[in-house]
Coordinates of all heavy atoms in Angstrom, one line a residue:
M78 N -5.7 -0.7 2.1 CA -5.7 -0.5 0.7 C -5.2 0.9 0.4 O -5.6 1.8 1.0 CB -7.1 -0.6 0.2 CG -7.3 -1.7 -0.8 SD -9.0 -1.8 -1.4 CE -9.7 -2.8 0.0
L79 N -4.4 1.1 -0.6 CA -4.0 2.3 -1.1 C -5.1 2.9 -1.9 O -5.7 2.3 -2.7 CB -2.7 2.3 -2.0 CG -1.5 1.9 -1.3 CD1 -0.3 1.8 -2.3 CD2 -1.2 2.9 -0.2
E80 N -5.4 4.2 -1.7 CA -6.6 4.7 -2.5 C -6.1 5.9 -3.3 O -5.2 6.6 -2.9 CB -7.7 5.2 -1.5 CG -8.4 4.0 -0.8 CD -9.5 4.5 0.0 OE1 -9.8 5.7 0.1 OE2 -10.1 3.6 0.7
T81 N -6.8 6.1 -4.3 CA -6.5 7.3 -5.2 C -7.2 8.6 -4.5 O -7.9 8.5 -3.6 CB -7.2 7.2 -6.6 OG1 -8.6 7.2 -6.5 CG2 -6.7 6.0 -7.3
N82 N -6.9 9.8 -5.1 CA -7.4 11.0 -4.6 C -8.6 11.5 -5.3 O -9.1 12.5 -5.0 CB -6.3 12.1 -4.5 CG -5.2 11.8 -3.5 OD1 -5.5 11.2 -2.5 ND2 -4.0 12.3 -3.8
N83 N -9.1 10.7 -6.3 CA -10.2 11.2 -7.0 C -11.5 10.8 -6.2 O -11.6 10.2 -5.3 CB -10.2 10.6 -8.4 CG -10.5 9.0 -8.4 OD1 -11.0 8.5 -7.5 ND2 -10.0 8.4 -9.4
A84 N -12.6 11.4 -6.8 CA -13.9 11.3 -6.2 C -14.4 9.9 -6.1 O -15.2 9.5 -5.1 CB -15.0 12.1 -7.0
E85 N -14.0 9.0 -6.9 CA -14.3 7.6 -6.9 C -13.7 6.8 -5.8 O -14.2 5.8 -5.3 CB -14.1 6.8 -8.2 CG -14.9 7.5 -9.3 CD -14.5 6.8 -10.6 OE1 -14.0 5.6 -10.7 OE2 -14.6 7.6 -11.7
S86 N -12.6 7.2 -5.3 CA -11.7 6.5 -4.3 C -11.6 5.0 -4.6 O -11.7 4.2 -3.7 CB -12.3 6.8 -3.0 OG -12.2 8.1 -2.6
R87 N -11.2 4.7 -5.8 CA -10.9 3.3 -6.2 C -9.6 3.0 -5.6 O -8.7 3.7 -5.6 CB -11.0 3.1 -7.6 CG -12.3 3.3 -8.4 CD -12.2 2.9 -9.8 NE -10.9 3.2 -10.3 CZ -10.6 4.1 -11.4 NH1 -11.6 4.8 -11.9 NH2 -9.4 4.2 -11.8
P88 N -9.5 1.7 -5.1 CA -8.2 1.3 -4.7 C -7.2 1.2 -5.7 O -7.5 0.7 -6.8 CB -8.5 -0.1 -4.0 CG -9.8 -0.4 -4.2 CD -10.5 0.7 -5.0
L89 N -6.0 1.6 -5.5 CA -4.9 1.5 -6.4 C -4.4 0.0 -6.4 O -4.1 -0.6 -7.4 CB -3.7 2.4 -6.1 CG -4.0 3.9 -6.3 CD1 -2.9 4.7 -5.8 CD2 -4.3 4.2 -7.7
L90 N -4.3 -0.5 -5.2 CA -3.8 -1.9 -5.0 C -4.8 -2.6 -3.9 O -5.2 -2.0 -3.0 CB -2.4 -2.0 -4.4 CG -1.4 -1.5 -5.3 CD1 0.0 -1.4 -4.6 CD2 -1.2 -2.3 -6.6
T91 N -5.1 -3.8 -4.2 CA -5.9 -4.6 -3.2 C -5.0 -5.1 -2.1 O -3.7 -5.0 -2.2 CB -6.5 -5.8 -3.8 OG1 -5.5 -6.7 -4.2 CG2 -7.4 -5.5 -5.1
N92 N -5.5 -5.5 -1.0 CA -4.8 -6.0 0.2 C -3.9 -7.2 -0.3 O -2.7 -7.3 0.1 CB -5.7 -6.4 1.3 CG -6.2 -5.2 2.1 OD1 -5.7 -4.1 1.9 ND2 -7.1 -5.4 2.9
E93 N -4.4 -8.1 -1.2 CA -3.7 -9.2 -1.7 C -2.5 -8.8 -2.6 O -1.4 -9.3 -2.5 CB -4.6 -10.1 -2.6 CG -5.6 -10.8 -1.7 CD -6.9 -9.9 -1.3 OE1 -7.1 -8.9 -2.1 OE2 -7.5 -10.2 -0.4
Q94 N -2.7 -7.7 -3.4 CA -1.6 -7.1 -4.2 C -0.5 -6.5 -3.2 O 0.7 -6.7 -3.5 CB -2.2 -6.1 -5.2 CG -2.9 -6.8 -6.3 CD -3.6 -5.7 -7.2 OE1 -4.1 -4.7 -6.6 NE2 -3.7 -5.9 -8.5
L95 N -0.9 -5.8 -2.2 CA 0.0 -5.3 -1.3 C 0.9 -6.4 -0.6 O 2.1 -6.3 -0.4 CB -0.7 -4.4 -0.2 CG -1.1 -3.1 -0.7 CD1 -2.0 -2.3 0.4 CD2 0.1 -2.2 -0.9
A96 N 0.2 -7.4 -0.2 CA 0.8 -8.5 0.5 C 1.9 -9.2 -0.3 O 2.9 -9.7 0.2 CB -0.2 -9.5 0.9
S97 N 1.6 -9.2 -1.7 CA 2.5 -9.9 -2.6 C 3.7 -9.0 -3.1 O 4.5 -9.6 -3.8 CB 1.6 -10.5 -3.8 OG 1.2 -9.5 -4.6
L98 N 3.7 -7.8 -2.7 CA 4.9 -6.9 -3.1 C 6.1 -7.6 -2.7 O 6.3 -8.0 -1.6 CB 4.7 -5.6 -2.5 CG 3.7 -4.7 -3.1 CD1 3.6 -3.3 -2.2 CD2 3.9 -4.3 -4.5
G99 N 7.1 -7.6 -3.6 CA 8.4 -8.1 -3.3 C 8.3 -9.6 -2.9 O 9.1 -10.1 -2.1
G100 N 7.3 -10.3 -3.5 CA 7.3 -11.7 -3.1 C 6.8 -12.0 -1.7 O 7.2 -13.0 -1.1
G101 N 6.0 -11.0 -1.1 CA 5.7 -11.1 0.3 C 6.9 -10.9 1.3 O 6.8 -11.1 2.4
R102 N 7.9 -10.2 0.8 CA 9.2 -10.0 1.5 C 9.4 -8.5 1.9 O 10.5 -8.0 2.3 CB 10.4 -10.5 0.8 CG 10.3 -11.9 0.4 CD 10.1 -13.0 1.5 NE 11.0 -12.8 2.5 CZ 11.0 -13.4 3.7 NH1 9.9 -14.1 4.1 NH2 11.9 -13.3 4.6
V103 N 8.3 -7.6 1.7 CA 8.4 -6.2 2.0 C 7.7 -5.9 3.3 O 6.7 -6.4 3.6 CB 7.7 -5.4 0.9 CG1 7.7 -3.9 1.1 CG2 8.5 -5.7 -0.5
A104 N 8.4 -5.1 4.1 CA 7.9 -4.7 5.4 C 8.2 -3.3 5.7 O 9.1 -2.6 5.1 CB 8.4 -5.7 6.6
Y105 N 7.6 -2.7 6.7 CA 7.9 -1.5 7.2 C 7.8 -1.3 8.8 O 7.0 -2.2 9.3 CB 7.0 -0.3 6.5 CG 5.5 -0.5 6.9 CD1 4.9 0.3 7.8 CD2 4.7 -1.3 6.1 CE1 3.6 0.3 8.1 CE2 3.4 -1.4 6.4 CZ 2.8 -0.6 7.3 OH 1.4 -0.7 7.6
V106 N 8.4 -0.4 9.4 CA 8.2 -0.2 10.8 C 7.4 1.0 11.1 O 7.5 2.0 10.5 CB 9.7 0.1 11.5 CG1 9.5 0.4 12.9 CG2 10.6 -1.1 11.3
K107 N 6.4 0.7 12.0 CA 5.5 1.8 12.4 C 5.6 2.1 13.9 O 5.3 1.2 14.7 CB 4.1 1.4 12.0 CG 3.0 2.3 12.3 CD 1.6 1.8 12.0 CE 0.5 2.8 12.4 NZ -0.8 2.3 11.9
P108 N 5.8 3.3 14.2 CA 5.7 3.7 15.7 C 4.2 3.6 16.1 O 3.3 4.0 15.5 CB 6.3 5.1 15.8 CG 6.2 5.6 14.4 CD 6.1 4.5 13.4
I109 N 4.1 3.0 17.3 CA 2.6 2.9 17.9 C 2.8 3.2 19.4 O 3.8 3.1 19.9 CB 2.0 1.5 17.6 CG1 2.8 0.4 18.3 CG2 1.9 1.2 16.1 CD1 2.0 -1.0 18.4
R110 N 1.7 3.5 19.9 CA 1.5 3.7 21.4 C 1.0 2.3 22.0 O 0.3 1.6 21.4 CB 0.6 4.8 21.7 CG 0.9 6.2 21.1 CD 2.2 6.7 21.7 NE 2.2 7.0 23.0 CZ 3.1 7.4 23.8 NH1 4.3 7.6 23.2 NH2 3.1 7.5 25.1
S111 N 1.5 2.1 23.3 CA 1.1 0.9 23.9 C -0.4 0.7 24.0 O -1.0 -0.3 23.9 CB 1.7 0.7 25.3 OG 1.4 1.9 26.1
E112 N -1.2 1.9 24.0 CA -2.6 1.8 24.1 C -3.2 1.2 22.7 O -4.4 0.7 22.8 CB -3.2 3.3 24.2 CG -2.9 3.8 25.6 CD -1.6 4.6 25.6 OE1 -0.8 4.6 24.6 OE2 -1.3 5.3 26.6
D113 N -2.5 1.3 21.7 CA -2.9 0.7 20.4 C -2.4 -0.7 20.1 O -2.7 -1.3 19.0 CB -2.4 1.7 19.2 CG -3.0 3.1 19.4 OD1 -4.1 3.3 19.9 OD2 -2.3 4.0 19.1
L114 N -1.7 -1.2 21.0 CA -1.1 -2.6 20.8 C -2.1 -3.7 20.5 O -1.9 -4.5 19.6 CB -0.3 -3.0 22.0 CG 0.5 -4.3 21.9 CD1 1.5 -4.3 20.8 CD2 1.2 -4.5 23.2
A115 N -3.2 -3.7 21.3 CA -4.2 -4.7 21.1 C -4.9 -4.7 19.8 O -5.4 -5.7 19.3 CB -5.3 -4.6 22.3
Q116 N -4.9 -3.5 19.1 CA -5.6 -3.5 17.8 C -4.7 -4.2 16.7 O -5.3 -4.8 15.9 CB -5.8 -2.0 17.3 CG -6.7 -1.3 18.1 CD -6.8 0.2 17.8 OE1 -5.8 0.8 17.4 NE2 -8.0 0.7 17.7
L117 N -3.4 -4.1 16.9 CA -2.5 -4.8 15.9 C -2.2 -6.2 16.3 O -2.0 -7.0 15.4 CB -1.2 -3.9 15.6 CG -1.3 -2.6 14.9 CD1 0.0 -1.9 14.9 CD2 -1.6 -3.0 13.4
F118 N -2.0 -6.4 17.6 CA -1.6 -7.7 18.2 C -2.6 -8.1 19.3 O -2.3 -8.0 20.4 CB -0.1 -7.5 18.7 CG 0.9 -7.2 17.7 CD1 1.2 -5.9 17.4 CD2 1.6 -8.1 17.1 CE1 2.1 -5.6 16.5 CE2 2.6 -7.8 16.1 CZ 2.8 -6.5 15.8
P119 N -3.7 -8.6 18.8 CA -4.8 -9.0 19.8 C -4.2 -10.0 20.9 O -4.8 -9.9 22.0 CB -5.9 -9.6 18.9 CG -5.6 -9.1 17.6 CD -4.2 -8.9 17.5
A120 N -3.4 -10.9 20.5 CA -2.8 -11.8 21.5 C -1.8 -11.3 22.5 O -1.3 -12.0 23.4 CB -2.4 -13.0 20.8
A121 N -1.4 -10.1 22.3 CA -0.3 -9.5 23.1 C -0.8 -9.3 24.5 O -1.9 -9.0 24.8 CB 0.1 -8.2 22.5
P122 N 0.1 -9.5 25.5 CA -0.2 -9.3 26.9 C -0.5 -7.9 27.2 O 0.0 -7.0 26.3 CB 0.9 -9.8 27.7 CG 2.0 -9.7 26.7 CD 1.6 -10.0 25.3
A123 N -1.1 -7.5 28.2 CA -1.4 -6.1 28.6 C 0.0 -5.4 28.8 O 0.9 -6.0 29.4 CB -2.3 -6.1 29.8
V124 N 0.0 -4.2 28.4 CA 1.2 -3.4 28.6 C 0.8 -2.0 29.2 O -0.3 -1.5 28.9 CB 1.9 -3.2 27.2 CG1 3.1 -2.3 27.3 CG2 2.3 -4.5 26.5
A125 N 1.8 -1.5 30.0 CA 1.3 -0.2 30.6 C 1.1 0.8 29.6 O 1.7 0.9 28.5 CB 2.6 0.2 31.5
P126 N 0.1 1.7 29.8 CA -0.2 2.8 28.9 C 1.0 3.8 28.8 O 1.7 4.0 29.7 CB -1.5 3.4 29.4 CG -1.5 3.1 30.8 CD -0.7 1.7 31.0
G127 N 1.0 4.5 27.7 CA 1.9 5.6 27.5 C 3.3 5.2 27.0 O 4.2 6.1 26.9
L128 N 3.4 4.0 26.6 CA 4.8 3.6 26.0 C 4.9 3.7 24.6 O 3.9 3.4 23.9 CB 5.1 2.1 26.5 CG 5.1 1.8 28.0 CD1 5.2 0.3 28.1 CD2 6.3 2.6 28.7
Q129 N 6.0 4.1 24.1 CA 6.3 4.1 22.7 C 6.8 2.7 22.2 O 7.8 2.2 22.8 CB 7.4 5.1 22.3 CG 7.8 5.3 20.9 CD 6.6 5.8 20.0 OE1 6.3 7.0 20.1 NE2 6.2 5.0 19.1
L130 N 6.2 2.1 21.2 CA 6.6 0.8 20.8 C 6.7 1.0 19.2 O 6.3 2.0 18.7 CB 5.4 -0.2 21.1 CG 5.1 -0.4 22.6 CD1 3.9 -1.2 22.7 CD2 6.3 -1.0 23.3
F131 N 7.3 -0.1 18.7 CA 7.5 -0.1 17.2 C 7.0 -1.4 16.7 O 7.4 -2.6 17.2 CB 9.0 0.1 16.9 CG 9.5 1.4 17.3 CD1 9.9 1.6 18.6 CD2 9.4 2.5 16.4 CE1 10.3 2.9 19.1 CE2 9.8 3.7 16.8 CZ 10.3 3.9 18.1
A132 N 6.1 -1.3 15.7 CA 5.6 -2.6 15.1 C 6.2 -2.8 13.7 O 6.4 -1.9 12.9 CB 4.0 -2.5 14.9
L133 N 6.7 -4.0 13.4 CA 7.1 -4.4 12.1 C 5.9 -5.1 11.4 O 5.3 -5.9 11.9 CB 8.3 -5.4 12.2 CG 8.8 -6.0 10.9 CD1 9.4 -4.9 10.1 CD2 9.8 -7.1 11.2
L134 N 5.6 -4.4 10.3 CA 4.3 -4.8 9.6 C 4.6 -5.3 8.1 O 5.6 -4.7 7.5 CB 3.4 -3.7 9.5 CG 3.0 -3.1 10.9 CD1 2.2 -1.8 10.7 CD2 2.2 -4.1 11.7
G135 N 4.0 -6.2 7.5 CA 4.1 -6.5 6.2 C 3.6 -5.4 5.3 O 2.9 -4.5 5.8
A136 N 3.8 -5.5 4.0 CA 3.4 -4.4 3.1 C 1.8 -4.2 3.2 O 1.4 -3.1 3.0 CB 3.8 -4.8 1.6
D137 N 1.1 -5.3 3.5 CA -0.4 -5.1 3.6 C -0.9 -4.7 5.0 O -2.0 -4.6 5.2 CB -1.1 -6.4 3.1 CG -0.8 -7.6 4.0 OD1 0.2 -7.5 4.8 OD2 -1.5 -8.6 3.9
G138 N 0.2 -4.4 5.9 CA -0.3 -4.1 7.3 C -0.3 -5.3 8.2 O -0.7 -5.2 9.4
T139 N 0.0 -6.5 7.7 CA 0.0 -7.6 8.6 C 1.1 -7.6 9.6 O 2.3 -7.3 9.4 CB 0.2 -8.9 7.8 OG1 -0.8 -9.1 6.8 CG2 0.2 -10.2 8.7
P140 N 0.6 -7.6 11.0 CA 1.6 -7.5 12.0 C 2.6 -8.7 12.0 O 2.2 -9.8 11.9 CB 0.8 -7.4 13.3 CG -0.6 -7.7 13.0 CD -0.7 -7.8 11.5
I141 N 3.9 -8.3 12.2 CA 4.9 -9.3 12.3 C 5.5 -9.4 13.6 O 5.6 -10.6 14.3 CB 6.0 -9.1 11.3 CG1 5.4 -9.1 9.9 CG2 7.2 -10.1 11.5 CD1 6.4 -8.6 8.7
V142 N 6.0 -8.3 14.2 CA 6.5 -8.4 15.5 C 6.4 -6.9 16.2 O 6.3 -5.9 15.4 CB 8.0 -8.7 15.6 CG1 8.8 -7.7 14.8 CG2 8.5 -9.1 16.9
V143 N 6.3 -6.8 17.5 CA 6.3 -5.5 18.2 C 7.5 -5.5 19.2 O 7.9 -6.5 19.8 CB 5.0 -5.2 18.9 CG1 4.8 -6.3 20.0 CG2 4.9 -3.8 19.4
T144 N 8.2 -4.4 19.3 CA 9.2 -4.2 20.2 C 9.3 -2.8 20.8 O 8.5 -1.9 20.4 CB 10.6 -4.5 19.5 OG1 11.6 -4.4 20.4 CG2 10.8 -3.7 18.3
D145 N 10.2 -2.5 21.7 CA 10.3 -1.2 22.3 C 11.3 -0.3 21.7 O 11.6 0.8 22.1 CB 10.5 -1.4 23.9 CG 11.8 -2.1 24.1 OD1 12.5 -2.6 23.3 OD2 12.2 -2.0 25.4
S146 N 12.0 -0.9 20.6 CA 13.0 -0.1 19.9 C 12.9 -0.2 18.4 O 12.6 -1.4 17.9 CB 14.4 -0.3 20.4 OG 15.0 -1.4 19.8
R147 N 13.0 0.8 17.7 CA 13.0 0.7 16.2 C 14.2 -0.1 15.8 O 14.0 -0.9 14.8 CB 13.2 2.2 15.7 CG 13.0 2.2 14.2 CD 13.1 3.6 13.6 NE 12.8 3.6 12.1 CZ 13.6 3.0 11.2 NH1 14.7 2.5 11.5 NH2 13.2 3.1 10.0
D148 N 15.3 0.0 16.3 CA 16.5 -0.8 15.9 C 16.2 -2.3 16.0 O 16.7 -3.1 15.1 CB 17.7 -0.5 16.8 CG 18.3 0.9 16.5 OD1 17.9 1.5 15.4 OD2 19.0 1.4 17.2
A149 N 15.5 -2.7 17.1 CA 15.2 -4.2 17.3 C 14.2 -4.5 16.2 O 14.3 -5.7 15.6 CB 14.6 -4.4 18.6
A150 N 13.3 -3.7 15.8 CA 12.3 -4.0 14.7 C 13.0 -4.2 13.4 O 12.7 -5.2 12.6 CB 11.2 -3.0 14.6
V151 N 14.0 -3.3 13.2 CA 14.7 -3.4 11.9 C 15.6 -4.6 11.9 O 15.7 -5.3 10.9 CB 15.5 -2.1 11.7 CG1 16.5 -2.2 10.6 CG2 14.6 -0.8 11.4
A152 N 16.2 -4.8 13.0 CA 17.0 -6.1 13.1 C 16.2 -7.4 12.9 O 16.7 -8.3 12.2 CB 17.7 -6.2 14.5
N153 N 14.9 -7.3 13.4 CA 14.1 -8.5 13.1 C 13.8 -8.7 11.6 O 13.7 -9.8 11.1 CB 12.8 -8.4 14.0 CG 12.0 -9.7 13.8 OD1 11.4 -9.9 12.9 ND2 12.0 -10.5 14.9
A154 N 13.6 -7.5 11.1 CA 13.3 -7.6 9.5 C 14.5 -8.2 8.8 O 14.4 -9.0 7.9 CB 12.9 -6.2 9.0
M155 N 15.7 -7.6 9.2 CA 16.9 -8.1 8.5 C 17.1 -9.6 8.7 O 17.4 -10.4 7.8 CB 18.1 -7.4 9.0 CG 18.1 -5.9 8.4 SD 19.3 -4.9 9.3 CE 20.8 -5.7 8.7
Q156 N 16.8 -10.1 10.0 CA 17.0 -11.5 10.3 C 16.1 -12.4 9.5 O 16.3 -13.5 9.1 CB 16.7 -11.7 11.8 CG 16.9 -13.1 12.3 CD 16.7 -13.2 13.8 OE1 15.7 -12.6 14.4 NE2 17.5 -14.0 14.5
Q157 N 14.8 -11.8 9.1 CA 13.8 -12.6 8.4 C 14.0 -12.3 6.8 O 13.2 -12.7 6.1 CB 12.4 -12.1 8.9 CG 12.1 -12.6 10.3 CD 10.6 -12.3 10.5 OE1 9.8 -12.7 9.8 NE2 10.4 -11.8 11.8
E158 N 15.1 -11.5 6.6 CA 15.4 -11.3 5.2 C 14.3 -10.5 4.5 O 13.9 -10.7 3.3 CB 15.8 -12.5 4.4 CG 17.0 -13.1 5.0 CD 17.5 -14.4 4.2 OE1 16.9 -14.7 3.2 OE2 18.3 -15.0 4.7
L159 N 13.7 -9.6 5.3 CA 12.6 -8.7 4.6 C 13.2 -7.4 4.1 O 14.1 -6.9 4.6 CB 11.6 -8.3 5.7 CG 10.8 -9.5 6.4 CD1 10.0 -9.1 7.5 CD2 9.9 -10.2 5.3
E160 N 12.6 -6.9 3.0 CA 13.0 -5.7 2.4 C 12.3 -4.6 3.1 O 11.0 -4.5 3.1 CB 12.7 -5.7 0.9 CG 13.1 -4.5 0.1 CD 14.6 -4.4 0.0 OE1 15.3 -5.4 0.0 OE2 15.1 -3.2 0.0
M161 N 13.0 -3.6 3.7 CA 12.4 -2.5 4.4 C 12.1 -1.3 3.4 O 13.0 -1.1 2.6 CB 13.4 -2.0 5.5 CG 13.6 -3.1 6.6 SD 12.2 -3.5 7.5 CE 11.8 -1.8 8.2
V162 N 10.9 -0.8 3.5 CA 10.5 0.4 2.8 C 10.1 1.5 3.8 O 9.8 1.3 4.9 CB 9.3 0.0 1.9 CG1 9.7 -0.9 0.8 CG2 8.1 -0.4 2.6
S163 N 10.2 2.6 3.3 CA 9.9 3.8 4.0 C 8.5 4.4 3.6 O 8.3 4.5 2.4 CB 10.9 5.0 3.9 OG 10.6 6.1 4.5
L164 N 7.7 4.6 4.6 CA 6.4 5.3 4.3 C 6.3 6.7 4.6 O 6.9 7.1 5.7 CB 5.3 4.5 5.0 CG 5.2 3.1 4.7 CD1 4.1 2.4 5.6 CD2 4.9 2.7 3.3
H165 N 5.7 7.5 3.8 CA 5.5 9.0 4.3 C 4.2 9.4 4.2 O 3.3 8.9 3.5 CB 6.3 9.8 3.2 CG 7.8 9.4 3.2 ND1 8.7 10.1 4.1 CD2 8.5 8.6 2.5 CE1 9.9 9.6 3.8 NE2 9.8 8.6 2.9

């Protein structure tokens, strides 16, 4: 959930609102370490530690695909006709 910076920390958008951004067609690529793979992709097979991977995630953080190259993650988003956004 996106949160405000005020003391109340009320969410700006709910997870459902994030998921529906762009009609559910918005995604982003996030670099991850292989040690963190199981947190995002519990069904993924064991992978050697210390590898740089790239996860394609829906606007609400829902995992879509994981790969060993950013280009492959972006290509997968394009193939699925997802709108890529940049996070800072």
Side-chain angles (χ1 to χ4, degrees):
M78 237 181 282
L79 293 178
E80 294 183 3
T81 63
N82 289 332
N83 66 25
E85 296 176 27
S86 294
R87 290 188 330 247
L89 294 174
L90 295 172
T91 65
N92 286 346
E93 292 79 20
Q94 290 169 320
L95 282 171
S97 67
L98 285 175
R102 306 302 303 163
V103 176
Y105 63 97
V106 175
K107 177 181 179 178
I109 64 169
R110 302 296 298 171
S111 55
E112 293 87 352
D113 301 324
L114 182 62
Q116 290 176 323
L117 285 173
F118 298 88
V124 177
L128 298 175
Q129 177 70 60
L130 302 172
F131 296 87
L133 178 63
L134 305 169
D137 65 343
T139 300
I141 298 170
V142 71
V143 67
T144 182
D145 62 352
S146 80
R147 185 181 188 290
D148 289 343
V151 170
N153 187 282
M155 291 171 60
Q156 184 178 37
Q157 295 188 47
E158 298 181 4
L159 299 173
E160 180 71 31
M161 295 295 298
V162 295
S163 177
L164 300 179
H165 300 272

